[in-house]
Amino acid sequence: MDESTQTKDLLDKHMKSEDADVLAMAKLMNEKFEKYCKIEDVNQILVLALV
């Protein structure tokens, strides 16, 4: 399991928290994660070039 998958799983877990502070922080972090870590938006040619 790669680090981004682990991070996303942990964020998803905390987004179900009953603690309002944890939930608010998880939502903010998830927004940033979605913005900066979307693998679907990565140019596939660049991925192949890296490999």
Side-chain angles (χ1 to χ4, degrees):
M1 185 178 286
D2 66 6
E3 290 176 12
S4 64
T5 304
Q6 290 175 339
T7 303
K8 183 63 175 156
D9 289 344
L10 193 57
L11 280 172
D12 289 342
K13 174 186 166 195
H14 289 302
M15 288 188 52
K16 297 174 186 169
S17 175
E18 294 182 14
D19 183 333
D21 292 330
V22 172
L23 181 60
M25 182 66 71
K27 284 182 178 182
L28 290 172
M29 291 176 74
N30 190 55
E31 288 175 15
K32 291 184 185 218
F33 184 86
E34 292 293 326
K35 181 177 179 181
Y36 295 110
C37 298
K38 280 188 162 180
I39 193 67
E40 301 88 31
D41 292 343
V42 175
N43 187 330
Q44 296 302 314
I45 294 173
L46 292 176
V47 171
L48 290 175
L50 288 171
V51 173

